[in-house]
Amino acid sequence: GDGGPGGGPGGGPGGPDGAGPTALQIVTAGYVLAQMAVAVLGVLVITSEYSTGMIRSTLTAVPTRLPVLAAKALVLTAATFAVGFVGVLLATVVTSPYLTDDPVDLGDAETWRILIGTGLYLAAIALLAFGLGGLIRHTAGGVTAILGTILLLPLLVLILGNWLTWVAEAAPYLPAAAGERILAESLPAGTPEIEGVSLLGPWQGFAILLAYVAVVLVGAALSLRRRDA
């Protein structure tokens, strides 16, 4: 992703004003590592049954197949959202005594959008991984695909963007980069636009990530319906 403890999703080298990470960026910084954990979990939720052969028993019990995919996706979504949201709330409580100069304002709507958005982003990444796992049906391949998508692809685009303008312009629309916009703090009024960079709104970016998720899940559903277990 393009955020992180140092860079933060708010833009610039630190907070929106470039003066260092804000309180919200500090309490949500753990999502960078958490996304890798939920990505692996998302793949395992579907591929573990293929590796053990249990998928045949499952599909024998539910021959229509698609309810199996839907049930797994629903449980995965609920679990990852809950863990992400509760985790960032706990981080807020634990770090609040140390952030007296720049406290997290729990009375602010943007604060709650970012806190809830942490859970939503992690759930979406887990679903993206789940869909890739359903398409590939192999744990190592699925993990490689999702980690490559959220970690390696942005780096590759960053490098190629130095020579290819259209690649640089496409960077904000990558799955992780777009989805992370839901964690972004608003830029101060009067901040000049960054030339050549598309600053997606929080919900615009998250909608793009959900579009990737939808495409992959549809592919996984079609694969489950048409291919032998």
Side-chain angles (χ1 to χ4, degrees):
D2 61 358
D17 58 0
T22 66
L24 275 172
Q25 290 171 359
I26 291 171
V27 300
T28 60
Y31 88 90
V32 177
L33 294 178
Q35 68 179 342
M36 291 185 278
V38 300
V40 174
L41 174 64
V43 171
L44 288 173
V45 165
I46 187 70
T47 60
S48 59
E49 287 202 58
Y50 282 102
S51 62
T52 60
M54 286 296 295
I55 191 66
R56 297 184 184 88
S57 300
T58 300
L59 297 183
T60 299
V62 188
T64 51
R65 297 192 173 196
L66 291 187
V68 173
L69 196 71
K72 287 178 177 292
L74 182 61
V75 171
L76 177 65
T77 301
T80 50
F81 171 78
V83 170
F85 180 52
V86 172
V88 79
L89 279 181
L90 289 176
T92 302
V93 172
V94 170
T95 58
S96 289
Y98 306 98
L99 299 173
T100 53
D101 293 336
D102 179 29
V104 174
D105 183 5
L106 293 178
D108 182 56
E110 182 174 272
T111 295
W112 284 102
R113 185 257 295 168
I114 292 172
L115 297 180
I116 294 172
T118 302
L120 291 175
Y121 174 75
L122 292 177
I125 291 296
L127 279 177
L128 185 65
F130 176 76
L132 288 173
L135 282 171
I136 298 172
R137 299 187 174 192
H138 188 271
T139 299
V143 169
T144 299
I146 185 60
L147 293 184
T149 298
I150 65 177
L151 299 178
L152 182 60
L153 184 59
L155 180 60
L156 181 61
V157 168
L158 179 64
I159 294 172
L160 293 177
N162 292 321
W163 294 280
L164 301 173
T165 302
W166 67 269
V167 173
E169 292 175 347
Y173 301 92
L174 296 176
E180 284 175 336
R181 294 301 300 160
I182 200 172
L183 305 176
E185 294 180 66
S186 300
L187 295 173
T191 300
E193 294 185 1
I194 302 174
E195 185 177 355
V197 176
S198 176
L199 296 178
L200 296 169
W203 296 107
Q204 289 176 317
F206 188 65
I208 290 173
L209 174 57
L210 290 183
Y212 283 108
V213 171
V215 169
V216 173
L217 286 178
V218 168
L222 292 174
S223 175
L224 187 63
R225 285 288 299 272
R226 297 177 179 180
R227 292 168 60 186
D228 293 333

